[in-house]
């Protein structure tokens, strides 16, 4: 069984953290991953930076721009991660846009992920239909779980289709927005969380976009298996540096000790 | 071979809709409705009426006598420069604003580089009384002040794109992000034959009025519908798509696509995508684009802001790959000279984009009885500053 699937079976709410590889400094990638695991994170999304990240808000964009300036590339990231499984056990997911993967070669990319011990991919601009027609067999060959997004606007029919071809979790985007644009959830969002929970999908859901603190994390995990924090973590790195990862996570997991 | 889009949204291997799930409902709504709406008699009537009374169509097909004599061949100019707002861009924005209204949208967003498409969008929004937000790179806002002022006078809000390289591609990213954040009430008017399916096809259809008119106009002038060549400059490829559309499957018509070589193909400062680009994904479609080996999209360069885009529309990628179109690239210097030549020979000040198409006559020899139709996509008013600086006028 894939590490993601194993993790999803644990009887707890999961905290997943997104960060941009190569940010704030090119060589921070591995130590950030290690610190996150040490301080109670269940799963990590490693952002492969892209010049034109359509689905991301200003915080993640700016971190991607900086990471590219720091000379992060697909090749460099794979090199940084080559021994990561000697020290890190939790599931690792690469989140990136499709063009850099296409240029690396989709099969070569997947093969490399398997070699390193990456468990899954999130590719926001690789649509479900293109994936299922052209790439699903490659992902499966290398044991990679591909994670799809749903939003409040996604139709029931499409959610069911996405559920049918997923084999890990479904990434529930909390509202119609790019990353980082929300602060707190209102009834519109909680109604949507409830509606999806009531669908009893085959795949558990993890909520992302707009999770920033203990309050939004608790709200989201009331309805879902877990939650993903991205922009809030990057902002924290911005203002407090990598040494403060522990205090950030303590503030999120305050009542889970 | 077909050069039109197939039912899945591809031109050969190019096109498709590589979009985040957040955009899926918006794009899908458009995909399911655009052909239906465009086929409605009331839509056609309103579109054609506005093109005639408001835009000033048909635009003349003008036989450029002195230019023809100079190059010893027969050159016709399709005068899109005479359209309201000064370029072909308005054909598309008229079509899309009518589409937006029929889809019940009341908020319009657009991206713009030089500001031509922004002005054309602000214009039709004023005409229809709809809210208009135009994203424009911070750097472009600084270098295109008159068009920023025009948009403001027309009631649009101009929002600076502060991310990435702060030019057209980033303005496009910002517009797409806005659409993600406003999925229900907003229509995104893309300014060229780019973006996820159905945009390239929809924009092409709205611009196809150009070649539709060329056919009957050439019949009047020459007693034949088909020229030997059609020529257009390519930024994203909307004036070119409209100019080629009704000739794509006419084997006797040669197609020439003109890209901006900037300071030269090998200078590192160029926008000649068909030469320097590689297959990849930009703004939601698979096409040829300029990128690093690593798949990061690079910043192109051309003296002409309208050609300064790192990709080409998927239809043109297909025309390049199949060899249906001949691609040429023209440097800044050659384009500027060709622009000045048109002023002096024909009394027409062209947009610098269009000057690229005119410059091919210095590089390619045509037969005396060849009939060549060149899309004069826009007028040069917006470029006066550039002309002044370049020629020290
Ligand atoms: C006059 C003119 N011609 C051509 C273009 C290039 O666009 P496209 O390739 O979509 O026709 C522009 C873009 O701003 C323009 O203003």
């Amino acid at each position: 069984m894939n590490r993601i699937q194993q993790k999803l079976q644990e009887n707890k709410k999961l905290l997943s953290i997104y960060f941009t590889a190569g940010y704030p400094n090119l060589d921070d990638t591995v130590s950030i991953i290690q610190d996150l695991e040490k301080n109670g994170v269940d799963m990590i999304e490693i952002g492969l930076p892209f010049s034109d990240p359509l689905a991301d808000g200003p915080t993640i964009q700016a971190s991607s721009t900086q990471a590219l300036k720091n000379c992060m590339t697909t090749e460099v990231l794979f090199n940084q991660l080559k021994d990561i499984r000697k020290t890190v056990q939790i599931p690792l997911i690469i989140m990136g846009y499709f063009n850099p993967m296409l240029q690396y070669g989709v099969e070569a990319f997947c093969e490399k992920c398997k070699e390193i011990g990456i468990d899954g991919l999130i590719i926001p601009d690789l649509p479900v239909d293109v994936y299922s027609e052209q790439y699903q067999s490659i992902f499966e060959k290398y044991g990679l779980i591909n994670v799809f997004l749903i939003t409040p606007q996604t139709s029931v029919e499409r959610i069911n289709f996405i559920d049918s071809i997923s084999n890990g979790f479904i990434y529930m985007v909390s509202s119609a927005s790019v990353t980082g644009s929300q602060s707190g959830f209102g009834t519109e969002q909680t109604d949507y969380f409830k509606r999806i929970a009531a669908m009893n999908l085959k795949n558990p859901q993890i909520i992302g976009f707009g999770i920033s603190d203990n309050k939004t994390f608790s709200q989201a995990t009331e309805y879902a298996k877990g939650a993903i924090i991205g922009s809030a973590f990057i902002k924290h790195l911005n203002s407090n540096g990598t040494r403060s990862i522990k205090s950030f996570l303590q503030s999120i997991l305050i009542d889970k000790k | 071979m077909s050069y039109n889009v197939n039912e899945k949204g591809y031109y050969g291997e190019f096109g498709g809709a590589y979009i985040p799930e957040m955009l899926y409902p918006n794009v899908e709504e458009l995909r399911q409705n655009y052909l239906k709406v465009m086929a409605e008699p009331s839509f056609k009537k309103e579109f054609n009426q506005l093109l005639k009374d408001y835009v000033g169509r048909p635009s003349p097909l003008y036989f450029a006598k002195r230019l023809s004599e100079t190059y010893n061949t027969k050159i016709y100019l399709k005068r899109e420069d005479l359209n309201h707002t000064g370029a072909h861009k308005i054909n598309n924005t008229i079509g899309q604003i009518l589409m937006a209204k029929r889809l019940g949208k009341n908020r319009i967003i657009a991206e713009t580089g030089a500001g031509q498409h922004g002005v054309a969008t602000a214009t039709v929004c004023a005409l229809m009384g709809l809210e208009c937000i135009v994203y424009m790179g911070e750097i472009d806002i600084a270098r295109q002040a008159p068009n920023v002022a025009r948009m403001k006078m027309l009631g649009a809000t101009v929002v600076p794109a502060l991310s990435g390289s702060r030019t057209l591609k980033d303005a496009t990213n910002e517009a797409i992000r806005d659409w993600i954040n406003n999925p229900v009430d907003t229509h995104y008017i893309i300014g060229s034959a780019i973006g996820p399916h159905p945009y390239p096809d929809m924009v092409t259809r709205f611009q196809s009025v150009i070649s539709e008119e060329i056919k009957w106009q050439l019949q009047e002038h020459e007693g034949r519908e088909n020229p030997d060549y059609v020529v257009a400059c390519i930024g994203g490829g909307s004036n070119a798509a409209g100019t080629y559309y009704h000739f794509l499957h006419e084997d006797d018509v040669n197609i020439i696509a003109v890209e901006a070589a900037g300071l030269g193909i090998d200078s590192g400062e160029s926008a000649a995508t068909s030469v320097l680009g590689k297959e990849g994904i930009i703004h939601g479609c698979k096409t040829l684009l300029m990128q690093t080996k690593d798949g990061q999209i690079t910043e192109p360069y051309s003296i002409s802001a309208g050609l300064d885009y790192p990709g080409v529309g998927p239809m043109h990628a297909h025309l390049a790959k199949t060899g249906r179109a001949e691609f040429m690239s023209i440097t800044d210097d050659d384009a500027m000279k060709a622009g000045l030549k048109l002023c002096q020979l024909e009394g027409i000040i062209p947009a610098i984009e269009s000057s690229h198409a005119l410059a091919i006559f210095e590089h390619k020899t045509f037969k005396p009885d060849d009939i060549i139709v060149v899309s004069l996509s826009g007028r040069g008013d917006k470029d006066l500053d550039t002309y002044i600086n370049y020629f020290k006028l």
Side-chain angles (χ1 to χ4, degrees), chain A residues 28 65 88-89 111 148 157 176 179 183 202 211:
Chain A
D28 288 336
T65 305
V88 172
Q89 270 71 52
E111 191 177 358
F148 295 103
E157 210 183 347
T179 52
S183 55
K202 169 178 89 143
I211 317 284

Side-chain angles (χ1 to χ4, degrees), chain A residues 51 53 56 61 103 158 177, chain B residues 21 163 173 177 181 278 296:
Chain A
S51 54
D56 287 301
Q61 272 176 63
Q103 302 312 319
R158 196 165 163 85
S177 74
Chain B
E21 188 62 30
S163 62
N173 294 338
R177 289 185 185 112
N181 290 329
K278 208 176 149 256
Q296 309 295 341

Side-chain angles (χ1 to χ4, degrees), chain A residues 23 53 57-67 234 238, chain B residues 163:
Chain A
Y23 177 85
T59 307
I60 293 181
Q61 272 176 63
S63 68
S64 301
T65 305
Q66 185 58 46
I234 307 259
N238 259 342
Chain B
S163 62

Side-chain angles (χ1 to χ4, degrees), chain A residues 49-57 61 65 68 72-75 98-100 102-104 124-128 130 133-135 149-151 153-154 158 162 173 175-178 181 209, chain B residues 8 10 17-26 162-164 169-170 172-174 176-178 180-184 278-284 286 289 291-298:
Chain A
F50 182 50
S51 54
D52 296 77
L54 287 182
D56 287 301
Q61 272 176 63
T65 305
L68 292 173
M72 179 49 81
T73 66
T74 310
E75 202 70 61
F98 193 40
N99 197 48
L102 204 57
Q103 302 312 319
Y104 194 89
D125 59 344
L126 175 61
V128 196
V130 179
E133 279 167 30
Q134 295 179 40
Y135 299 110
L149 278 55
I150 62 169
T151 80
Q153 269 71 41
T154 310
R158 196 165 163 85
I162 287 172
V173 176
S175 56
S177 74
V178 293
S181 14
F209 290 39
Chain B
K8 289 194 142 174
Y10 284 85
Y18 293 80
I19 47 169
E21 188 62 30
M22 294 83 103
L23 275 180
Y24 181 82
N26 317 23
L162 306 171
S163 62
K169 88 179 166 70
D170 310 283
T172 309
N173 294 338
E174 291 304 335
I176 292 174
R177 289 185 185 112
D178 180 307
I180 289 175
N181 290 329
N182 298 282
V184 181
K278 208 176 149 256
E279 189 181 308
I281 296 189
I282 181 170
H283 298 139
K286 187 181 271 186
L289 64 127
Q291 52 184 315
T292 64
K293 184 170 109 315
D294 211 39
Q296 309 295 341
I297 298 172
T298 52

Side-chain angles (χ1 to χ4, degrees), chain B residues 256-279:
Chain B
I256 298 180
V258 186
E259 294 182 308
L263 300 182
I265 295 280
D266 302 318
S267 67
E269 299 290 331
S270 178
T273 308
S274 73
V275 185
L276 300 168
K278 208 176 149 256
E279 189 181 308

Side-chain angles (χ1 to χ4, degrees), chain B residues 43 47 50-51 54-55 84-85 87-100 108-111 116-125 127-128 187 189-192 203 206-207:
Chain B
F43 182 94
F47 181 57
L50 283 171
L51 288 187
Y54 188 70
V55 175
H84 180 42
T85 70
H88 67 291
K89 296 280 178 191
I90 190 107
N91 304 328
N92 171 43
T93 59
I94 293 270
Q96 286 205 47
I97 198 94
L98 296 178
M99 180 68 62
I108 299 296
I109 55 173
E111 86 295 341
Q116 286 309 103
H117 173 60
V119 169
T121 303
T123 299
V124 297
C125 287
L127 181 67
M128 297 293 165
H187 176 73
I189 302 191
I190 287 188
S192 193
V203 174
F206 288 139
Q207 292 290 1

